Amino acid sequence: MLNKDSVNVVGAGLAGVEAASVLSRLGFKVRLFEMKPGKYTEAHCSPNLGELVCSNSLKSLKPDSASGLLKSEMASLGSLVMRAAGISKVPAGNALAVDREKFSAYITSQILSDPNIELIIQEVSRIPPDELSIICTGPLTSGALTEFLMDLSGEGGLYFYDAIAPIVEYSSLDLTSAFWADRYSDDPGNYLNCVLSESDYDAFYDALTGSDQLTPRPFEKPKFFESCMPVEVLADRGKETLLFGPMKPVGLIDPRTGSRPFAVVQLRKEDLAGEYLNLVGFQTRLRNSDQKKVFGLIPALKNASYARYGSIHRNTYINAPKVLDSSLMVLGNENIYLAGQITGVEGYLESAACGIMAGIFVAANLSGKKIPQAGPETALGALMNHLSVDRGSKFQPSNINFGLFEPLGKKHPKKLRGSKYVERATKVHADWLKVIKDLLPDLL
């Protein structure tokens, strides 16, 4: 018999804290399991909940972007992650970037002060069959629980590699070789642009492509997510690739020369004071010693001190369309739900949004109510569709993008497509919210 006294949420990353928060607001008791600080993965280092292990950016704030729309929909559902981002925001132009320590500290304080949530520091290796559980353990799920999930789903393990960019101390940088500016803007800007001449770039490229890289184990074929490609993997595609990627100088004018640099490396603030900055687009699998040597060929970083070196780790996810139903429940196992990156959504916001939806679906289950799907015209609905619709081709993780949405009825000029998607989504989402408010009034 199902125990309905409380819900287990396993993993206190972005998906887990959102799921727990939703259930708590709806009056349900939650047992939130987190193995930190008793045990850490290779990518985690903070004891706080909702830790951001890669970038500190939550992507675009532009209202006509898919990620901007997702933020709006999440905020309308009382997202804990969006509240945390609001109080920890740091300047980043059109992107939403946060002070990661303040961000996760706020989330931790909210969870610890919630009377409906019991935080249990414990690694979970198996899920009790008679308890309702949401597994939100992310792409770095421990080995024992990964085996349990693969046995449960009947699917072989799928994986790709993810990489983290380095963080440097601002005080250690040579500012004579850098300037603050945003692309296509005359304002002082929120990005520190480290300039490379053509000869600087040649030396950097040669060192990067000849550097010592960490390699996967023999039985693990490296499969990288395209939007988080290690900088050295990009470089291997050709000498010009970086100049059209993370080192592109377009839209930037060096105020000291009045002309566009040959190449730049952009640094973004990690904290409001700007004492630490991360190398945008420079996620890497280089060994630490090689990072210091190779990145030191960027003039502004020649004497840089590193608060964190870049790293690489294995990300695990399931074949969601074959394993989950449209409510994120494991097929054939009505007591177990999955949420977050382990399902095949990629990115901070996407993981958090998945956690919100899992919380709503489980609450409806416990209340004996049927929640309608968010329309595929909306960001939340498009994400859920991505996880539940089997399109016959090999399933791959995805960020939110308009390609996941229900297509527009007719073609529109490229510059208007985003706003048309958002205009349609806003109406559909508003109608869905009215239904949710009637069914789960305490949520909103």
Side-chain angles (χ1 to χ4, degrees), residues 44-276:
H44 291 85
C45 60
S46 170
N48 282 333
L49 312 181
E51 181 183 358
L52 303 181
V53 300
C54 296
S55 167
N56 69 326
S57 172
L58 276 67
K59 301 180 187 173
S60 177
L61 282 167
K62 293 181 178 179
D64 61 350
S65 67
S67 61
L69 176 62
L70 182 58
K71 291 179 182 67
S72 175
E73 292 181 9
M74 291 170 62
S76 73
L77 291 167
S79 166
L80 173 58
V81 164
M82 292 307 300
R83 297 202 309 271
I87 64 98
S88 60
K89 182 179 177 182
V90 298
N94 289 322
L96 174 58
V98 300
D99 179 318
R100 68 180 74 216
E101 293 301 322
K102 288 184 179 179
F103 175 86
S104 58
Y106 176 83
I107 288 175
T108 303
S109 69
Q110 294 298 298
I111 294 296
L112 291 177
S113 63
D114 192 318
N116 284 335
I117 300 175
E118 177 188 5
L119 179 63
I120 301 172
I121 306 302
Q122 177 183 321
E123 180 181 0
V124 174
S125 59
R126 295 192 68 81
I127 305 301
D130 59 345
E131 296 180 9
L132 200 55
S133 301
I134 308 175
I135 302 175
C136 310
T137 45
L140 297 175
T141 297
S142 63
L145 189 54
T146 296
E147 290 181 12
F148 170 81
L149 287 173
M150 295 313 169
D151 289 342
L152 187 71
S153 67
E155 294 289 322
L158 300 175
Y159 63 89
F160 63 97
Y161 280 85
D162 203 3
I164 296 174
I167 296 173
V168 294
E169 296 180 15
Y170 176 73
S171 61
S172 69
L173 303 179
D174 182 354
L175 300 181
T176 63
S177 299
F179 63 95
W180 289 96
D182 294 342
R183 296 189 195 278
Y184 305 106
S185 174
D186 295 328
D187 295 331
N190 299 295
Y191 290 84
L192 183 64
N193 299 278
C194 304
V195 175
L196 292 87
S197 66
E198 185 171 2
S199 59
D200 292 333
Y201 180 80
D202 288 343
F204 169 78
Y205 179 82
D206 290 343
L208 180 62
T209 53
S211 59
D212 188 12
Q213 303 174 15
L214 292 170
T215 55
R217 291 171 288 184
F219 59 88
E220 295 177 333
K221 182 180 178 181
K223 295 187 288 185
F224 298 104
F225 186 57
E226 189 67 27
S227 67
C228 197
M229 194 71 64
V231 65
E232 61 275 5
V233 174
L234 283 176
D236 285 340
R237 294 179 174 181
K239 193 169 184 177
E240 305 297 313
T241 304
L242 295 176
L243 296 174
F244 290 93
M247 299 182 74
K248 63 184 178 186
V250 296
L252 296 167
I253 300 297
D254 188 336
R256 298 162 303 177
T257 64
S259 59
R260 188 173 80 178
F262 182 81
V264 299
V265 175
Q266 289 197 307
L267 274 58
R268 180 178 56 227
K269 291 181 180 180
E270 274 284 319
D271 59 302
L272 193 59
E275 295 179 357
Y276 300 95

